[in-house]
Amino acid sequence: METPPVKLKYLTTALAAALCITGTGTGFAQDSAPSVAKVTAATPPPKLIVMIAVDQFSADLFAQYRGHFTGGLARLVSGAVFPSGYQSHGATETCPGHSTILTGNHPAHTGIIANNYFDLTAAREDKRLYCAEDETVAGTSSGSGKYAPSVNHLLVPTLGDLMKARDPKAQVVSVAGKDRAAIMMGGRKADELVWLAPTGLTSYRGTLLSPTATQAGTAIAAAIAQPRPGLPLPADCTAQDIGIPVGDRVLGNGRLARDGGDFRGFMASPEADGAVLAAGAALRQARKLGEGPATDLLILGLSATDYVGHNSGTEGTEMCLQMMGLDRELGDFFARLDATGIDYAVALTADHGGHDIPERNRQNGWPAAERVDAALDPDAVAKVVADKLGLPQPLLYSDGPFGDMYLAKTLTAAQRKAAMAEFINRFRAFPQVEAVVTGEELAARPISKQAPDVWSMLDKLRASYNPQRSGDFIVVLKPRVTPIADTSRGYVATHGSVWDYDRRVPMLFWRKGLAGFEQPNAVMTVDILPTLASLIGLTLDANKIDGRCLDLLSGPESSCR
Ligand SMILES: [Zn+2]
């Protein structure tokens, strides 16, 4: 096979060469075809749908960098642009967010209410369940690396599942940086489903990777083993080049340099996204996605933006380098896809938004930004409540200082009532707590049918509430309280709140010949499934979908059938 020339030092191109992917990436692909037939309601369905989720790509980041994109994101901005997309639910974490994108359902219905939730009736000792694991596998726990990845917790079908149910010849491939992204978007019937690992690519336990995935994994592992010098800072990023002390570190002026073999450093850089895109391109080529009789689906979960956000916040050179790298990697990927001549459609969104570190927010016009009070520790609160009421420990199960909280199952009805009242009072007394809401309150509410920008806090929490899986009560922090008290190790910024900076995400649709338009009104990521289904003539049961079809044709015609 002919090896295309390596023009860029970024990974898509380097890996593409290693994987013999045809076509030449330019990194700055634009739709420059001289005469492209305009897409109308009569245009046949695309042969390939490319669904891209960029982890933590908030509507704020999109707005900030939109004018700077020249690559793949610039191309998508020329299509149907919904800048006010919403992950409308309250628990804005990675797993719930990815579960909405290709199911058309809120987490209340997908069952993916959080990255981690509790099942106190689980047979195993560790009652904390990871969203994408099978806790019934002997010897597992939700602690890092000790779980068996699984799609079992997802309660609804994905687009790929529905496409394959309609036509078994439809192929579905899902590649992501994180297992939960590949799994929650890929669903149960994907032909190939892989994610990044220190060894390159991996999948479910016991799954033999295809020869192409094995080859891609080997190339990715070789890339991880190489050290990476700091990336040169583009002119667009120089204004952000200001160091800021956070704990005993200085952030904000980083260049994403890393040592050879540093997998965490690899994941928090455009390299990781390039690896996913290159692996996706290689698998598409090997399986001839978009070249068969049915429409195929290629799912790409780009996780690096999230790791950069967690490690460094959103407003330093680190994120600027990531945004520029992502744009270029996507451009390279699209250019290679263009070279195949396949009629493909792209949808891009995010699993949640994000928020900058309070230290920099305080410098940049938001003096009230703060970190959560270390005293707001559910274990400490539980100890006080247990001592006061004479109840046994463990009394309360939680995954952090906010979100779902579960009372021990061993309590009598009277003890439970007393403990609940005491917990609610104590949590409400913390100045950083906005509200404490019970599961009972949420269970009694219908899911809102209004546009997501006018949802109340209870509406948001209701869309995250599943009676079998949610907590007995939910703690909501005030806006701009970063729920990381100790920055000495690990992450400095995060997401997960009910506030709009964590809920708002761009929703972009592009297809060759699609006339572009902008629709700034609020739409939802649960609208993506019905929108794509309509594009390929796939009939859905509206009673099983929370979203609605978005018309992608400007003017009087509609793409919603
Ligand atoms: Zn995250």
Side-chain angles (χ1 to χ4, degrees):
M1 215 175 283
E2 201 180 317
T3 301
V6 176
K7 286 189 175 174
L8 290 171
K9 60 177 174 284
Y10 275 77
L11 204 63
T12 304
T13 301
L15 271 180
L19 294 168
C20 304
I21 301 166
T22 51
T24 304
T26 64
F28 298 95
Q30 293 283 1
D31 184 7
S32 56
S35 62
V36 175
K38 191 182 166 197
V39 172
T40 69
T43 305
K47 298 300 291 178
L48 175 67
I49 289 180
V50 181
M51 179 73 234
I52 302 170
V54 178
D55 203 316
Q56 206 187 125
F57 188 37
S58 64
D60 292 330
L61 278 178
F62 175 66
Q64 183 176 351
Y65 286 98
R66 186 175 173 167
H68 298 268
F69 294 138
T70 57
L73 285 160
R75 177 194 298 223
L76 298 185
V77 167
S78 73
V81 176
F82 297 84
S84 302
Y86 278 74
Q87 288 280 1
S88 42
H89 53 273
T92 50
E93 293 187 323
T94 300
C95 217
H98 281 105
S99 84
T100 70
I101 293 172
L102 285 179
T103 66
N105 274 282
H106 298 303
H109 294 140
T110 69
I112 308 301
I113 60 160
N115 280 352
N116 300 298
Y117 59 94
F118 287 81
D119 179 1
L120 303 186
T121 67
R124 74 174 184 197
E125 197 176 341
D126 181 8
K127 307 301 183 195
R128 193 177 88 144
L129 308 189
Y130 173 55
C131 60
E133 74 161 322
D134 180 355
E135 68 278 11
T136 65
V137 174
T140 62
S141 80
S142 63
S144 68
K146 291 185 198 153
Y147 60 88
S150 166
V151 70
N152 285 358
H153 294 152
L154 182 64
L155 301 177
V156 292
T158 59
L159 176 62
D161 295 340
L162 297 169
M163 286 168 67
K164 288 186 84 75
R166 174 176 72 163
D167 183 351
K169 289 193 289 294
Q171 295 194 75
V172 178
V173 169
S174 183
V175 189
K178 299 178 181 176
D179 58 5
R180 54 190 178 274
I183 291 169
M184 293 304 152
M185 293 193 292
R188 287 182 156 72
K189 295 182 183 159
D191 297 280
E192 213 155 338
L193 192 154
V194 292
W195 57 87
L196 296 177
T199 51
L201 286 173
T202 191
S203 188
Y204 296 120
R205 289 183 180 185
T207 302
L208 207 58
L209 296 189
S210 69
T212 303
T214 302
Q215 192 189 1
T218 303
I220 292 166
I224 295 168
Q226 293 295 316
R228 182 187 58 228
L231 301 175
L233 199 66
D236 285 4
C237 299
T238 52
Q240 280 135 293
D241 193 15
I242 301 168
I244 180 159
V246 179
D248 55 3
R249 285 178 281 174
V250 174
L251 302 172
N253 55 0
R255 299 290 189 270
L256 306 179
R258 65 168 175 82
D259 296 331
D262 175 2
F263 180 65
R264 283 187 56 142
F266 176 85
M267 291 300 286
S269 80
E271 275 186 302
D273 291 342
V276 168
L277 290 165
L283 292 172
R284 189 222 62 77
Q285 181 173 286
R287 304 188 73 99
K288 301 192 186 321
L289 261 59
E291 300 174 36
T295 299
D296 297 319
L297 174 61
L298 177 61
I299 299 161
L300 301 162
L302 306 181
S303 310
T305 303
D306 186 61
Y307 288 118
V308 172
H310 284 302
N311 288 346
S312 316
T314 60
E315 300 304 323
T317 51
E318 301 91 345
M319 185 58 86
C320 192
L321 286 165
Q322 167 59 22
M323 287 290 106
M324 298 297 152
L326 170 69
D327 180 41
R328 183 151 69 169
E329 295 290 356
L330 282 169
D332 191 58
F333 173 80
F334 292 146
R336 286 171 194 285
L337 215 42
D338 290 343
T340 66
I342 293 168
D343 179 13
Y344 64 99
V346 181
L348 183 144
T349 191
D351 56 337
H352 52 72
H355 193 225
D356 199 20
I357 51 175
E359 292 80 3
R360 190 161 40 217
N361 267 327
R362 287 199 288 269
Q363 290 188 354
N364 292 350
W366 201 273
E370 58 188 355
R371 292 190 176 278
V372 72
D373 183 351
L376 219 172
D377 168 13
D379 291 340
V381 176
K383 187 173 183 324
V384 173
V385 173
D387 287 351
K388 181 179 175 186
L389 300 181
L391 296 174
Q393 289 269 40
L395 180 58
L396 191 71
Y397 296 80
S398 74
D399 197 37
F402 72 107
D404 290 82
M405 309 270 166
Y406 303 75
L407 291 175
K409 290 278 185 203
T410 50
L411 304 179
T412 66
Q415 287 173 330
R416 193 177 175 78
K417 199 174 165 202
M420 187 82 135
E422 190 66 27
F423 274 120
I424 289 175
N425 281 339
R426 285 188 179 270
F427 276 109
R428 280 186 181 155
F430 283 98
Q432 291 179 329
V433 168
E434 172 83 8
V436 182
V437 177
T438 66
E440 265 176 28
E441 274 176 85
L442 298 176
R445 296 177 68 83
I447 290 180
S448 175
K449 297 281 182 208
Q450 290 192 286
D453 54 338
V454 299
W455 281 21
S456 69
M457 189 182 61
L458 289 177
D459 289 334
K460 300 172 197 174
L461 295 174
R462 176 62 185 90
S464 282
Y465 178 76
N466 179 283
Q468 277 76 44
R469 296 181 180 176
S470 291
D472 295 298
F473 64 95
I474 294 116
V475 175
V476 179
L477 297 179
K478 288 204 165 130
R480 288 166 284 275
V481 174
T482 296
I484 300 171
D486 177 11
T487 58
S488 61
R489 286 163 295 132
Y491 291 166
V492 297
T494 195
H495 49 86
S497 80
V498 301
W499 307 112
D500 277 0
Y501 48 79
D502 285 343
R503 292 173 77 224
R504 291 181 54 247
V505 294
M507 285 165 50
L508 313 174
F509 299 88
W510 179 92
R511 185 182 178 187
K512 192 165 281 186
L514 187 76
F517 68 87
E518 182 105 0
Q519 173 49 267
N521 282 303
V523 295
M524 301 191 280
T525 54
V526 294
D527 298 334
I528 294 172
L529 168 81
T531 301
L532 295 178
S534 197
L535 215 54
I536 59 170
L538 180 70
T539 310
L540 300 173
D541 181 348
N543 294 319
K544 294 182 177 169
I545 300 289
D546 289 323
R548 66 178 177 92
C549 177
L550 303 174
D551 173 15
L552 300 182
L553 298 179
S554 67
E557 282 199 312
S558 175
S559 62
C560 295
R561 292 158 214 248

